[in-house]
Every structure is written in C-alpha cells, then in structure tokens.
Amino acid sequence: MTAPRTADRVAIVTGGSRGIGRQTAARLADDGFAVVVNYASNKVEADAAVEDLERAGARAIAFQADVADEVAVASMFDQAESTFGGVDVVVHAAGIMPLAPLVDLDLDVLDRVLRTNVRGTFVVDQQAARRLRPGGAIINFSSSLTRFSRPGYTAYGASKGAVEAITLILARELRGRDITVNTVAPGPTATALFLDGKSDELITRIAGESPLGRLGQPADLAEIVAFLAGPGRWINGQVLYANGGAI
C-alpha cells in the first residue's frame, strides 16, 4: 500500500476550529496537507484557525457543517474536491460531552449526544468511504472513558462505544480499497471540552492518575493522528487508547 505524496494530499478535520481538532489540522498542515477546517457554529474561531494555517504556508479553508446533517457534510466534501482536487484523510474529531448520571439525564440531551456523536460519525464516515482516494485514512475519535467508566459519563461513553464499533466494522467493509480506518481514544486532555466545569483540585487528581503525571495535550493526540494519516499504514481497524498509561 503506497499513499500519495504528502504534498498532494488533502485532509478534512471536523471540529477543526478548536482543541484537538485545531492542533491536528496544524500538525497535518506541517506535513504538507491542504486542510478543510470544519466547524459547527463559531466562524470566528474557524477563520482564526485558517489564518494560522495560511500564515504557516498551508492551503486551508473553513467550512461550516453540522456533522449529523448528510446534506451539509456532502457539500463539505464537494467543496474539498472542487478546491483541492480530492480528499485523502478524514479526521472526525467533532463531538459533544454533556455530563449527568444516568438516573438524572434528560432524554432530550441523550438524543442530542447520540445525534452528534453517533449519527455524526456515521454521516462523516459514509461520505469518507464513498469519496476517499486510495491510500487514504479515516480517523475517528472515541474516548478512554469507554474503559474508565466514570460516573456521569453514561451518554458520552455509550456514544463513543458506538464510534468504536463503527470503526472496526467499516475497516473490514473497505477491504480492497486501500483505505485504513482507526479510532483514537484519548484520556483526559487539556481542552475546553474537558476542563470546563471542573475544579482545580479535580483536574489535579485526574492528571495524577497517569504514570506520566500530567494531562494529555492536544499536540499529543495530533502526533498520533499524523502517524495514522501518514506512515502508519499497517495499523487498521484498531482503537488506540492514548491516555499516558492511566489504564
């Protein structure tokens, strides 16, 4: 299996305007990828991400799309193809994480989590499976919470368990296409999604669970994605738990 030259490759990064997605977009751009920065609503953040990429010499555009909306996602792929000539790598980092014990969880919130995290993965992966060029890679995001099993994360953990199942099955459905499909499952990572609403004491305690004694950083995850998008061609149909050894 031989991937195209990196300088000719194009990546779509969902949730690419902030956190792990934004760091991943920058890391792929460093490897010569043209990048489509997908965002849900915050145009200011997305435009800032694109400006940073362009200042670093990368080709980049922003595209607003609800990842669970198949029409919007198809339009995003259309734009990537018309602007850059095709798509080689899809990094699906978009997701939401409202917290509540199962007994207290508003079912409307559950529906929203499943729509974004599960249907969103299905919609994005479906377009990727239809459109990626040979030598391509689909990289989804789950969470080490599928193993940590922390109270309060029932909806989020359930949605990420579904992402892992989608990944493992899709890798086998794409037999013969020379496209890899993997999931990265971060542990606690210093992003707004994780840090919001947590006390300093709680953050310190969680950071200490890793033998490395710290939270993950978005750059830690971006390096793993870059490997899967580039030289890591023999890794396929896997869930990579990236949590500093906390489990």
Side-chain angles (χ1 to χ4, degrees):
M1 297 187 294
T2 303
R5 294 187 305 114
T6 303
D8 299 328
R9 304 188 82 196
V10 179
I12 293 174
V13 182
T14 71
S17 65
R18 63 190 313 209
I20 294 170
R22 184 164 180 168
Q23 188 68 46
T24 294
R27 180 63 181 81
L28 293 178
D30 286 345
D31 280 347
F33 280 80
V35 181
V36 177
V37 174
N38 160 258
Y39 67 101
S41 59
N42 195 324
K43 186 177 186 300
V44 172
E45 282 189 342
D47 287 344
V50 168
E51 289 170 7
D52 286 347
L53 293 172
E54 291 178 335
R55 274 195 296 269
R59 297 174 297 156
I61 60 171
F63 195 97
Q64 182 178 15
D66 172 358
V67 294
D69 181 337
E70 66 272 28
V71 175
V73 171
S75 295
M76 177 171 64
F77 276 78
D78 288 343
Q79 187 65 58
E81 290 171 349
S82 64
T83 303
F84 299 125
V87 182
D88 301 283
V89 170
V90 171
V91 181
H92 181 44
I96 60 173
M97 190 175 67
L99 305 181
L102 184 148
V103 69
D104 299 324
L105 185 68
D106 186 319
L107 294 182
D108 287 339
V109 174
L110 174 64
D111 289 343
R112 186 162 59 90
V113 171
L114 296 179
R115 183 180 186 278
T116 298
N117 295 0
V118 180
R119 179 185 169 94
T121 300
F122 198 98
V123 168
V124 171
D125 283 11
Q126 187 175 67
Q127 286 297 318
R130 290 171 177 172
R131 305 216 201 186
L132 257 60
R133 296 183 286 205
I138 300 170
I139 303 161
N140 293 320
F141 268 81
S142 176
S143 170
S144 289
L145 282 162
T146 59
R147 290 188 173 184
F148 286 150
S149 302
R150 294 189 191 278
Y153 289 86
T154 49
Y156 184 72
S159 73
K160 292 305 185 179
V163 170
E164 294 180 8
I166 291 169
T167 297
L168 303 184
I169 294 169
L170 181 58
R172 286 146 184 85
E173 291 180 345
L174 294 182
R175 175 182 295 274
R177 292 276 307 281
D178 191 17
I179 295 171
T180 61
V181 190
N182 293 289
T183 283
V184 178
T189 305
T191 65
L193 185 68
F194 172 78
L195 296 172
D196 285 353
K198 293 182 174 66
S199 67
D200 291 343
E201 180 183 6
L202 178 59
I203 292 168
T204 298
R205 180 175 64 78
I206 293 173
E209 293 175 356
S210 166
L212 298 179
R214 65 174 178 86
L215 296 177
Q217 297 295 321
D220 295 321
L221 285 307
E223 288 295 333
I224 297 168
V225 173
F227 179 71
L228 294 174
R233 299 295 300 161
W234 197 234
I235 300 175
N236 189 28
Q238 303 298 318
V239 178
L240 281 69
Y241 292 92
N243 53 51
I247 57 172

